[in-house]
Structure formats: C-alpha cells, structure tokens
Amino acid sequence: MRLGANESAFGPPPAALAAMREALPRTSWYGDPESVDLREALAAKHGCAFEEIVVAAGIDDLLGLCVRGYLAPGEVALTTLGSYPTFNYHVNGYGGVVESVPYAHGGAVQLEALAAAARTSHAKLVYLANPDNPSGSFSARAEVERFAAALPTDALLVLDEAYADFVDAAELLPAAVSARIVRTRTFSKAYGMAGARIAYALAPRAVVETFGKIRLQYGVNRTAQIGALAALAEPAFVAGVVAEVERGREEYGAIARAAGFTTLPSRANFVLIDAGTRERAERLSALLLERAVFVRKPGAPPLDRCIRVTVGTPAERARFGATFAEAAAALDANSLHA
Ligand SMILES: *Cc1c(COP(=O)(O)O)cnc(C)c1O
C-alpha cells in the first residue's frame, strides 16, 4: 500500500478523466502555451485577473521559477528545516543559500522566528507551506498576514498552498493576490491528478510576466490542461474527497491511540504518528515496509521521531489499522530485547 507520497486515494474527478480520454487523440498537438481556457476559469474561481495567474507543470515547477526569477547566486532563501524539500533543491541548483528555522516540538511552523531570521539573513525568498508538509500544521489567516507584513520589503514570500483545498477558504488570505506573495496551488492533491503534473500560481502581474520570460513555453501537458479545466467544474467531487480525508485523519488518530501512540494535528491529507524517537520511527517504518505498507519518515528533527501516513480509502485505512497494530506490537517486542 502506497501511503507515503500524499497522493489522492480517490482519483481524479470523473469528468476530468472523461475529458482527458477524449483529448488523447490530439496528443499530436502542443498544448496552449498560455493556458488561456484554464487561466480564465481560474481567474473566475479566485476573483482575480487573468494576468495574475500562471500555469505550470506542478508546484515543483513553480518553485523553480521563483528561485530562478528572484534569487541571485549567493543570496539567501529561508525555509523551515525539514519542510517540503523541492524548494531547497532549486535553491541549491541555482546557486542560492538555504537557511532554515526548525519546527516547534509539536510540529508548528515558527512564524515569528522565521520572520526574524528573514530580516537578519536578508533573505530574498521565504518559503512557507500552509498547510505544511510534512507536519500537517496550519497557520490561520491573521497569523499569515502578520507574518507577511513582518518580512523584509525586498523579500518575496513563496506561500505554498498545495493543501489549501483541505481548509475553509475563510481561513486563507482574503485577497487572491497580494504584493510580494506568490501563492501556489495544485491539482495534485485534493483533485487527484498528481501524475498529470499541473498547478498554478496566484501572483502579482510583474511576477507572472517574469515567469513568462523564463518558463518552458510548452511545458504544461495539453491533456493535463484539459483535465484540469474539467476538474474545476466538479467542486462537489473535491468536497467529497475533503470530507472523506477528514474522516480518514480521525481514523488514523484512533488507530494510533489504540496502539499507544499519539498523532500531530493535521489539516492536510496525511497524519504524523509520533513514535517518540527517531530510532523507533525508523524501525516502525521498516516494520510497516516488511508488511508491504510504504509510509514516509520525515528526515529532520524534531519531526524525525514520526512517520507520515497518507489518508487512504476506507478499505486501505482498515488494512493500515491491522498492519499498524502488528508493526507496533513487533516494535515493542523488539525494544524489550534491545
Ligand atoms: C505535494 C506537494 C507539492 C507538489 O505539488 P505538485 O503540483 O505535484 O508539484 C508541493 N508542495 C507541497 C507542500 C506538497 O506537499
């Protein structure tokens, strides 16, 4: 069971699948380099201008554009230690310097410390995933507003909202687009289209123009554009996924508690189960893998004491529950002999 990559267990919206199937014979054509249809639909959805939206091949692609466009070699990019790693890969690859602030013990992103570090390090890019991966933690609207206002005026905030669909819109920033903020959204998580590689950013016009100069003009798959547009017309499907994920998170909490573990609060499609120490978390994920269950173990302290489990279908959750109970029993049996 593949519960380690936060992919959707619920698949793409049926209308998206149908539209993509129908589009396949035209694979001989390039996709629209300006993604006009999709951007028009997204502008309507978010109440912003067409010129404030840029479509790309995943948030991973957008993170690269942020770094290439706005971080000169040797300049500092700031993130939370152990947060989504692809941002760091781009910073390293383009010659920037990654600096980081750790999570609080309970998994929260430390916004005040991050803003303070941004000022002392003269960071030009600051990365915040909200809800965050791998912690699952979420900072409410007012805290994010305060945080953004506390950043240096020449810094760009990369606000990665890959999991925004899992929280209420009222909890997110009220304006779709703000100066000095690039908000990234994806069809990979709640929309169940990770393999299609399509995402977008809500950003000031100047940023969209800059990205337009450096992005791969035909980098977004034609079929993916068509699928994403059809997916936007199925909000009820996505709402159903979000509700099911919420039930799944509660089930994971109960599964963990039954075996004597706690979980960290999560607002995304995964849950961190706290194994107490890095060593126990490593053994637990190995014991699960021996039983054909793939989960992820965060690499950096303090969250390296946890395993991260993606919410599966009800059947997958039931199987995970049985397997986790076995693995937890084996973990305790091992530690008695250790
Ligand atoms: C999954 C994930 C991504 C990747 O999104 P793509 O659109 O598939 O590239 C980006 N950021 C975070 C925080 C994620 O968890």
Side-chain angles (χ1 to χ4, degrees):
M1 271 199 308
R2 189 173 157 87
L3 302 178
N6 300 341
E7 295 142 330
S8 178
F10 309 100
L17 265 186
M20 289 192 284
R21 250 189 229 113
E22 201 182 320
L24 276 180
R26 281 275 182 252
T27 297
S28 46
W29 289 5
Y30 288 107
D32 173 6
E34 294 296 333
S35 301
V36 170
D37 295 345
L38 182 57
R39 285 165 72 201
E40 277 174 351
L42 289 168
K45 172 182 157 94
H46 292 292
C48 66
F50 175 86
E51 294 80 8
E52 293 170 326
I53 294 176
V54 55
V55 174
I59 290 179
D60 289 357
D61 186 9
L62 291 161
L63 297 177
L65 294 173
C66 290
V67 174
R68 234 176 115 200
Y70 292 95
L71 193 75
E75 286 182 340
V76 171
L78 188 67
T79 184
T80 295
L81 180 67
S83 186
Y84 191 66
T86 307
F87 177 71
N88 306 27
Y89 301 156
H90 287 300
V91 173
N92 291 327
Y94 289 119
V97 177
V98 176
E99 292 196 6
S100 56
V101 169
Y103 289 107
H105 184 77
V109 173
Q110 308 207 67
L111 289 182
E112 279 181 28
L114 205 56
R119 293 191 299 269
T120 53
S121 68
H122 305 290
K124 291 293 184 294
L125 281 185
V126 179
Y127 177 82
L128 171 66
N130 195 43
D132 177 72
N133 175 18
S135 70
S137 69
F138 178 69
S139 304
R141 171 190 285 194
E143 296 168 65
V144 175
E145 281 176 325
R146 223 179 358 257
F147 169 68
L151 294 177
T153 51
D154 61 346
L156 188 67
L157 171 59
V158 182
L159 183 56
D160 185 342
E161 296 184 318
Y163 300 98
D165 299 301
F166 296 99
V167 306
D168 279 349
E171 298 176 277
L172 301 168
L173 293 181
V177 175
S178 326
R180 297 190 291 119
I181 303 181
V182 177
R183 302 174 76 169
T184 61
R185 301 287 179 95
T186 185
F187 289 92
S188 295
K189 303 286 157 64
Y191 285 85
M193 295 174 61
R197 310 307 303 130
I198 187 158
Y200 60 98
L202 303 166
R205 284 161 204 254
V207 172
V208 173
E209 273 170 32
T210 298
F211 286 6
K213 292 175 191 163
I214 60 176
R215 70 188 170 85
L216 213 53
Q217 295 304 306
Y218 292 97
V220 185
N221 184 298
R222 178 176 187 274
T223 311
Q225 294 188 39
I226 289 165
L229 182 61
L232 286 180
E234 287 212 80
F237 175 89
V238 178
V241 169
V242 169
E244 188 59 33
V245 164
E246 207 171 312
R247 277 193 287 281
R249 288 197 306 249
E250 281 162 21
E251 279 179 36
Y252 281 176
I255 288 166
R257 276 194 302 281
F261 292 78
T262 57
T263 55
L264 274 59
S266 170
R267 298 296 303 274
N269 68 348
F270 55 83
V271 171
L272 284 187
I273 298 178
D274 193 337
T277 65
R278 179 188 181 104
E279 205 228 346
R280 273 170 61 86
E282 275 167 1
R283 286 218 312 274
L284 188 58
S285 67
L287 287 163
L288 287 166
L289 196 59
E290 279 169 23
R291 289 161 179 78
V293 175
F294 162 62
V295 299
R296 191 89 82 191
K297 204 197 70 59
L303 299 183
D304 59 348
R305 67 182 197 271
C306 301
I307 60 167
R308 191 194 68 191
V309 192
T310 307
V311 171
T313 60
E316 287 172 326
R317 274 135 50 193
R319 214 182 118 200
F320 175 75
T323 312
F324 185 79
E326 264 180 50
L331 180 71
D332 287 338
N334 271 349
S335 39
L336 290 180
H337 300 287

